[in-house]
Amino acid sequence: MKIIKIVFLLAFVTLSLVTCTSTPKDKTQTFGKQRIVCVAKQLTELIYALGAGDQLVGVDLSSTYPPAAQKLTKVGYHRMLNAEGIIALKPTVVYHDGNVAPEAVIQQLEKVGVPMKVFPDAHTIPEVKALFDTLAAQFGAQKQADSLKTKLDSDLAKAIDNVKQYKTTPKVAIIHFGRVINNYLVIGKAGTASYMLEMAGGKNVMDTLKGMKPLSPEIISKAQPDIILVTDFGYDRIGSAEKLATLPGIALTPAGKNKKIYRIEEHDLIYLGPRTGENILMLMKLIHQ
């Protein structure tokens, strides 16, 4: 009888130890699945890259990468959000980077109790790596974040090496269609697009401008770009390099005369992310062809 009690006791202790022991894999599994509405394109791409895209139920119109994001319900442009559309998706949280509007929509979401989580807008490589880690902590995906950082470093090193082969520095203007103000804009020197352009061996001829300014004949003809890059929505809106050359002042530039006006995806140029190194290499080939 004593032997039976001892065996039972040992079995109980062993079972207790197994139950209380936690492995890294177990910790990953404790992260519950969320219903996320993400209204920041940089965050949307990173969530997918971290393997958590299945937790997204809605995105803003600027979240166009990866292609899977385009199949999700749209809740308006990030500066023209629709409160009813967001609430209808029954999100457990809304992710954004602070660049959201109108304020009335934000207040309405807060009023009905929809949690809002703000992440820092990353404008440098160290900042975007830190964002990888911050987002990874939401999903228990640090291993994926580490892999993304390693690949990014490798792609950037390749870009730095490849650009050495080019002896000229093309003068480039970048045009983006602003959907909020319904107008074509030229992108100034400060910002992600110029940083990537310089890494690719080009020069943003709008180096005296800050931010984005409405396209005008004076601005574009004075800059005399060799090449003009137009982000996808604006390019597709008009339809061809020939038609874009008819925009104010463009026909008077070397780019307009030589039809060196190229389409580029907004999500490849406007923000930093896991594909930034790849995108710089792509940009390099585009402006040096």
Side-chain angles (χ1 to χ4, degrees):
M1 188 68 180
K2 288 182 178 180
I3 294 175
I4 294 174
K5 287 182 178 180
I6 292 171
V7 171
F8 178 79
L9 182 60
L10 288 172
F12 178 78
V13 171
T14 302
L15 180 61
S16 298
L17 287 171
V18 171
T19 304
C20 295
T21 300
S22 173
T23 65
K25 183 178 180 181
D26 295 328
K27 290 178 181 178
T28 300
Q29 292 173 339
T30 62
F31 290 87
K33 191 170 182 179
Q34 305 177 79
R35 290 180 59 82
I36 303 170
V37 170
C38 184
V39 291
K41 51 189 174 288
Q42 185 182 44
L43 296 177
T44 298
E45 178 169 346
L46 280 175
I47 290 170
Y48 273 102
L50 290 168
D54 61 335
Q55 299 191 39
L56 288 167
V57 295
V59 294
D60 78 306
L61 286 170
S62 73
S63 293
T64 55
Y65 191 89
Q70 299 178 30
K71 299 176 182 179
L72 295 174
T73 301
K74 303 299 182 293
V75 295
Y77 196 60
H78 63 95
R79 298 291 300 170
M80 296 178 66
L81 293 173
N82 180 287
E84 290 73 19
I86 294 174
I87 295 168
L89 292 174
K90 299 179 180 178
T92 56
V93 65
V94 173
Y95 282 8
H96 68 90
D97 59 8
N99 186 22
V100 289
E103 182 61 30
V105 169
I106 308 305
Q107 292 175 353
Q108 187 175 350
L109 293 174
E110 292 174 345
K111 186 176 181 179
V112 299
V114 177
M116 311 282 283
K117 187 165 287 190
V118 186
F119 295 85
D121 195 8
H123 297 287
T124 67
I125 296 301
E127 287 175 351
V128 82
K129 287 182 180 179
L131 184 56
F132 289 174
D133 293 334
T134 301
L135 269 174
Q138 307 299 312
F139 308 110
Q142 189 57 51
K143 185 177 180 180
Q144 291 92 324
D146 292 341
S147 295
L148 292 175
K149 289 185 287 185
T150 298
K151 184 180 185 304
L152 178 58
D153 285 339
S154 176
D155 290 339
L156 289 172
K158 185 177 179 181
I160 291 170
D161 186 59
N162 283 9
V163 77
K164 296 175 184 176
Q165 67 183 292
Y166 301 110
K167 307 304 179 186
T168 60
T169 303
K171 296 186 296 180
V172 182
I174 305 168
I175 297 176
H176 173 69
F177 190 80
R179 290 189 240 184
V180 173
I181 64 173
N182 199 38
N183 198 0
Y184 282 91
L185 308 166
V186 287
I187 298 179
K189 185 174 178 59
T192 301
S194 289
Y195 166 77
M196 292 178 65
L197 185 59
E198 290 174 7
M199 287 279 289
K203 173 182 170 59
N204 186 346
V205 289
M206 302 299 172
D207 55 2
T208 60
L209 297 180
K210 292 183 179 180
M212 299 185 187
K213 301 293 182 184
L215 177 67
S216 73
E218 294 78 16
I219 288 178
I220 199 74
S221 61
K222 182 179 179 181
Q224 288 291 290
D226 302 311
I227 294 168
I228 293 175
L229 303 178
V230 184
T231 55
D232 52 290
F233 185 87
Y235 190 102
D236 296 344
R237 196 168 184 265
I238 290 186
S240 68
E242 289 74 16
K243 291 179 180 179
L244 280 160
T246 66
L247 288 176
I250 291 181
L252 303 176
T253 68
K257 294 173 183 176
N258 298 318
K259 301 299 185 289
K260 287 196 171 185
I261 303 172
Y262 304 123
R263 181 185 188 276
I264 189 165
E265 294 284 347
E266 177 185 351
H267 55 236
D268 291 343
L269 192 67
I270 302 298
Y271 62 91
L272 299 178
R275 298 177 303 113
T276 292
E278 295 177 25
N279 291 335
I280 290 171
L281 290 165
M282 174 273 297
L283 187 59
M284 195 180 296
K285 292 179 180 178
L286 186 64
I287 67 173
H288 290 285
Q289 64 181 312

